[in-house]
């Protein structure tokens, strides 16, 4: 089934360079260093580079999957085309749940940061409701509005990354040596641990029909993924240089802790400002995930997208309230990371190969 979109709702190919990092850069960047340092120590930065390379290969596969069909395809159409209506929609429902879970963990993890670092007694249901109202308003505004907000979020978030200059003044670069001291297996384990931070590029499979001159957007998608890789690389290098790796393994929010040493004459606790500004990175994450889930649900079940959007937001509200302690949040993080790992590194290549086989067989039919 072809995925048609009105030209007035489409975005330029260049905008894809904001959508890819707009989904990948979120709360994960505030504390991913500890997770991969546990596996690869001072060689963790190599895992970031390898993960970035793999993501670009998977992006290339996504474009091949979407561009092979004679019609304008999206994820729903690809599944229905390759597996039939019923089996295809079963796969689509799995992805809808996957997009919802990503949105849940993005929002709940950010609320946890606020709770731990700023306001321990904050009313989580109230703050959650406010965030979901914001998400609703942006998603109902349409995909172009979400894209514009991704651009704004990245522009606001970029100056925060320049604050890496302050810990660099006290960095010890010999912490990065010896290079390649860990085994290839350890480095690849760290790559697996990076999965949750790179999730989101696969949303291209949903918003592909909303791109004008789609074939021209591929280079911008790769540039967006490279920007994400560069940002994560800078973050892990600075953290490794500032902390000893034994220290880093015990620092839950490495980037947030580094913000505490920012010395500005007019701000005493900069991490409060940083966490508040980071909301402009988190909301686009949530908007893209919720939009993708509601878009796929509309295509699968045939209901209006606004109706599906309300249902999805209610599911997110209940789920986030249920995640009322650190152990539950960590457990969901682990499950989503594993799920994302199988989705990215196993399912996408298999879908790529299966589509190739199916189209080859169809072409050779008399």
């Amino acid at each position: 089934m072809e995925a048609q979109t009105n030209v007035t709702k489409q975005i330029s190919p260049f905008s894809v360079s904001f959508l890819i990092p707009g989904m990948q850069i979120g709360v994960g960047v505030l504390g991913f260093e500890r997770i991969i340092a546990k596996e690869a120590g001072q060689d963790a930065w190599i895992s970031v580079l390898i993960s970035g390379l793999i993501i670009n290969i998977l992006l290339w596969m996504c474009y091949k999957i979407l561009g092979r069909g004679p019609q304008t395809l999206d994820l729903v159409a690809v599944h229905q085309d390759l597996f039939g209506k019923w089996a295809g929609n079963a796969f689509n429902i799995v992805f809808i749940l996957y997009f919802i879970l990503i949105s849940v963990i993005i929002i709940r993890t950010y609320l946890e940061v606020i709770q731990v670092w700023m306001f321990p007694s904050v009313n989580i249901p109230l703050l959650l409701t406010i965030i979901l109202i914001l998400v609703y308003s942006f998603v109902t505004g349409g995909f172009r509005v979400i894209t514009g907000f991704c651009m704004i979020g990245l522009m606001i978030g970029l100056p925060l990354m320049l604050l890496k200059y302050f810990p660099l003044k006290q960095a010890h670069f010999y912490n990065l040596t010896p290079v390649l001291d860990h085994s290839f297996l350890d480095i690849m384990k760290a790559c697996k641990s990076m999965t949750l931070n790179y999730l989101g590029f696969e949303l291209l499979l949903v918003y592909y029909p909303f791109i004008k001159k789609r074939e021209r957007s591929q280079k911008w998608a790769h540039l967006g993924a490279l920007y994400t890789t560069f940002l994560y690389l800078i973050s892990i290098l600075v953290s490794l240089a500032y902390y000893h790796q034994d220290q880093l393994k015990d620092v839950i929010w490495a980037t947030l802790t580094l913000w505490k040493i920012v010395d500005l004459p007019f701000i005493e606790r900069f991490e409060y400002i940083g966490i508040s500004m980071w909301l402009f990175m988190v909301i686009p994450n949530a908007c893209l995930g919720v939009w993708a889930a509601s878009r796929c649900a509309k295509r699968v079940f045939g209901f209006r997208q606004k109706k599906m959007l309300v249902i999805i937001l209610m599911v997110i509200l209940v789920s986030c309230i249920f995640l009322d302690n650190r152990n539950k949040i960590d457990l969901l993080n682990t499950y989503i990371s594993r799920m994302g790992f199988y989705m990215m590194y196993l399912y996408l290549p298999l879908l790529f190969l299966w589509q190739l086989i199916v189209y080859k067989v169809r072409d050779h039919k008399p």
Side-chain angles (χ1 to χ4, degrees):
M1 182 170 58
E2 186 174 1
Q4 296 181 346
T5 56
N6 194 311
V7 177
T8 59
K9 297 180 180 180
Q10 293 181 331
I11 60 172
S12 68
F14 172 71
S15 299
V16 180
S17 63
F18 292 94
L19 288 171
I20 298 295
M23 187 62 190
Q24 291 180 319
I25 301 171
V27 285
V29 76
L30 301 178
F32 77 99
E33 298 95 333
R34 174 183 65 93
I35 300 171
I36 62 175
K38 281 185 176 181
E39 303 290 351
Q42 75 274 13
D43 290 325
W45 63 273
I46 301 174
S47 302
V48 173
L49 285 177
I50 293 174
S51 297
L53 175 63
I54 294 172
I55 294 305
N56 274 280
I57 294 172
L58 293 173
L59 261 177
W60 174 82
M61 287 186 181
C62 287
Y63 271 95
K64 286 295 182 182
I65 290 170
L66 295 165
R68 278 179 183 153
Q71 299 174 325
T72 302
L73 297 179
D74 63 357
L75 181 66
V76 174
V78 168
H79 281 149
Q80 292 176 348
D81 181 45
L82 296 180
F83 303 107
K85 181 178 179 181
W86 295 105
N89 281 341
F91 282 106
N92 290 327
I93 291 171
V94 171
F95 270 88
I96 291 169
L97 295 174
Y98 168 65
F99 294 144
I100 292 173
L101 286 174
I102 290 179
S103 303
V104 167
I105 204 60
I106 287 169
I107 295 171
R108 189 60 186 91
T109 304
Y110 181 71
L111 291 176
E112 184 193 22
V113 171
I114 294 176
Q115 199 170 14
V116 172
W117 284 81
M118 297 178 69
F119 308 112
S121 58
V122 67
N123 188 325
I124 291 295
L126 177 61
L127 190 56
L128 175 61
T129 303
I130 293 172
I131 290 176
L132 292 181
I133 290 173
L134 288 173
V135 171
Y136 176 83
S137 64
F138 282 114
V139 174
T140 52
F143 187 66
R144 287 168 64 94
V145 172
I146 298 173
T147 303
F149 196 39
C150 285
M151 294 180 182
I152 294 171
L154 287 173
M155 290 176 184
I156 291 175
L158 182 59
L160 293 176
M161 302 313 298
L162 299 178
L163 298 174
K164 297 290 183 182
Y165 164 76
F166 289 93
L168 278 178
K169 293 191 293 185
Q170 305 174 39
H172 304 283
F173 288 99
Y174 55 78
N175 288 346
L176 298 172
T177 59
V179 179
L180 294 176
D181 187 48
H182 293 75
S183 67
F184 179 74
L185 181 61
D186 288 335
I187 293 173
M188 294 312 294
K189 284 180 180 178
C191 287
K192 184 179 179 181
S193 300
M194 276 292 295
T195 300
L196 191 61
N197 299 285
Y198 278 113
L199 291 182
F201 74 92
E202 65 275 16
L203 267 68
L204 172 71
L205 295 167
V206 182
Y207 59 72
Y208 184 74
F210 287 81
I211 306 171
K212 296 177 183 177
K213 301 176 181 177
R214 302 174 186 94
E215 63 283 352
R216 297 186 184 180
S217 68
Q218 185 170 356
K219 64 179 180 182
W220 297 112
H222 287 293
L223 283 173
L226 288 173
Y227 173 76
T228 302
T229 304
F230 174 75
L231 189 146
Y232 280 122
L233 180 63
I234 293 298
S235 294
I236 188 63
L237 285 173
V238 172
S239 295
L240 287 170
Y242 181 81
Y243 300 102
H244 188 273
Q245 59 175 297
D246 292 332
Q247 291 178 306
L248 188 56
K249 292 175 183 178
D250 297 323
V251 179
I252 297 177
W253 304 101
T255 296
L256 280 177
T257 307
L258 290 178
W259 281 351
K260 292 180 72 173
I261 67 172
V262 174
D263 184 20
L264 296 174
F266 52 91
I267 298 177
E268 184 176 352
R269 297 291 299 274
F270 185 83
E271 66 270 22
Y272 283 18
I273 305 296
I275 292 170
S276 301
M277 291 176 65
W278 208 254
L279 180 65
F280 288 92
M281 302 291 291
V282 171
I283 294 293
N285 283 188
C287 287
L288 281 169
V290 169
W291 178 86
S294 60
R295 168 75 179 175
C296 290
K298 171 194 172 184
R299 302 255 294 130
V300 170
F301 301 111
F303 296 109
R304 291 182 60 197
Q305 189 167 353
K306 278 190 178 181
K307 184 178 292 186
M308 301 309 303
L309 173 61
V310 172
I311 294 172
I312 289 168
L313 290 177
M314 292 299 296
V315 171
I316 293 174
L317 177 65
V318 173
S319 301
C320 288
I321 293 174
F322 174 75
L323 298 169
D324 55 0
N325 60 60
R326 178 68 188 172
N327 291 333
K328 290 180 181 179
I329 297 171
D330 275 344
L331 189 62
L332 185 61
N333 264 293
T334 302
Y335 284 144
I336 294 177
S337 183
R338 289 177 184 173
M339 186 178 183
F341 176 80
Y342 292 120
M343 290 283 194
M344 289 198 313
Y345 296 108
L346 183 61
Y347 181 74
L348 276 180
L350 287 177
L351 185 66
F352 172 82
L353 292 174
W354 179 246
Q355 187 193 50
L356 183 64
I357 293 169
V358 169
Y359 281 14
K360 286 283 186 183
V361 171
R362 288 178 183 174
D363 290 342
H364 284 85
K365 280 188 177 180

